[in-house]
Amino acid sequence: DSLSLGLSWYFAKISDKQPSKTFTYGYKRFSLLAALINGIVLLVGSLLILSEAVPRLIHPEHSNAKGMFIFAVFGILVNGLAIWRLKNGKTMNERVVTWHLLEDVLGWIAVLIVSIVMMFKDVHILDPILSVLITMYILWNVVKNLKKTVLLFLQGVPEEVSILTVENELQKLDNVRKVHHTHIWSQDGEHNILTTHIIPDQNLTWPEIDSLKTRIRLRLKDLGIDHATIEIERES
Ligand SMILES: [Zn+2]
Ligand SMILES: [Zn+2]
């Protein structure tokens, strides 16, 4: 758990590094890799928790209420602080890490509630019931995030972008006759990359083509694409 958190912290740190000769796009995909690893760790972790909690639904055990209470308060403080620091995170990795921490916090809150109840009353069944409910909730979110991460990893078009909309918007620009062969993918869920072919009106001068490219890039920025490669072609 903390190993994968450390790993994502390290990858997040790397992902801000400037492009190099080996990683010409920069290191943003490291944060996606971290999101993938984290997602898998969370998936396995949730399944393990479930496999422990479910049998305890049938055979509840006696637990130490006071110790649980102290651990819970400590856990909530530590994880709550970390979540608060990440709350504006937008990359896939930050989102996954936030879920990671949220899982822990919710778990600790459950432990806290159970421990308080058990200080007054010995109801063993509460502990596994809460564990199972919270883990199911987390699992659902982890799977959702993991699906997104895998899509980005396999260079699918990111969910927030539609290739048809992008092509239509470019088509609407002055001097654009045809748009085709468009690729869109995302480095980390935040930095999107496009390549496309444009056939402009005939007889444009070089300065006009330059200004067209600038207008295309500006329009693309509005559509959430910050790195575009545009091939200008003549109608064949
Ligand atoms: Zn073409
Ligand atoms: Zn470039």
Side-chain angles (χ1 to χ4, degrees):
D1 225 45
S2 36
L3 182 79
S4 79
L5 274 180
L7 200 68
S8 13
W9 178 80
Y10 174 68
F11 279 155
K13 199 120 201 176
I14 284 191
S15 68
D16 284 334
K17 273 174 55 173
Q18 290 302 306
S20 67
K21 286 213 167 91
T22 313
F23 296 103
T24 56
Y25 278 108
Y27 288 73
K28 304 225 162 51
R29 293 223 116 194
F30 278 78
S31 109
L32 197 63
L33 179 62
L36 191 67
I37 295 172
N38 261 321
I40 292 168
V41 168
L42 273 175
L43 187 70
V44 173
S46 303
L47 291 175
L48 279 179
I49 292 173
L50 275 183
S51 75
E52 272 176 29
V54 170
R56 276 196 294 133
L57 284 176
I58 306 155
H59 302 289
E61 284 160 23
H62 197 72
S63 27
N64 172 5
K66 227 179 192 150
M68 273 167 66
F69 179 80
I70 293 165
F71 272 119
V73 171
F74 185 71
I76 290 168
L77 285 180
V78 170
N79 289 294
L81 196 73
I83 288 179
W84 182 74
R85 283 179 49 199
L86 269 172
K87 69 179 187 299
N88 293 320
K90 264 163 76 192
T91 67
M92 227 35 232
N93 188 32
E94 282 167 330
R95 264 180 266 166
V96 173
V97 170
T98 307
W99 272 108
H100 210 145
L101 294 165
L102 205 61
E103 176 194 53
D104 290 353
V105 165
L106 288 178
W108 284 123
I109 290 176
V111 173
L112 186 77
I113 295 170
V114 170
S115 69
I116 292 171
V117 172
M118 284 196 304
M119 276 181 206
F120 300 100
K121 224 172 172 192
D122 215 11
V123 206
H124 298 151
I125 191 73
L126 269 182
D127 182 34
I129 286 180
L130 274 171
S131 302
V132 169
L133 287 181
I134 288 166
T135 311
M136 300 281 259
Y137 174 65
I138 297 288
L139 200 60
W140 181 73
N141 279 289
V142 167
V143 169
K144 212 173 62 182
N145 270 318
L146 205 56
K147 263 165 81 180
K148 272 194 200 173
T149 307
V150 169
L151 176 104
L152 294 180
F153 218 83
L154 299 178
Q155 288 191 303
V157 177
E159 251 174 28
E160 311 79 46
V161 182
S162 144
I163 207 148
L164 278 177
T165 312
V166 170
E167 284 198 333
N168 279 331
E169 287 301 312
L170 295 186
Q171 200 98 50
K172 282 186 202 154
L173 295 174
D174 282 343
N175 297 330
V176 173
R177 185 168 291 186
K178 225 184 207 163
V179 183
H180 66 276
H181 199 169
T182 306
H183 295 290
I184 300 177
W185 58 282
S186 182
Q187 295 193 77
D188 58 358
E190 199 188 349
H191 298 88
N192 302 331
I193 293 187
L194 163 145
T195 66
T196 191
H197 294 198
I198 302 275
I199 299 176
D201 290 338
Q202 274 175 341
N203 305 324
L204 287 191
T205 60
W206 276 110
E208 281 169 331
I209 287 176
D210 283 341
S211 104
L212 174 60
K213 277 191 167 182
T214 309
R215 282 186 286 125
I216 289 173
R217 281 182 215 283
L218 279 174
R219 192 70 198 93
L220 286 174
K221 250 215 168 107
D222 294 337
L223 295 167
I225 291 153
D226 53 9
H227 188 292
T229 306
I230 302 154
E231 192 158 322
I232 302 283
E233 295 172 340
R234 282 186 299 178
E235 197 129 37
S236 49

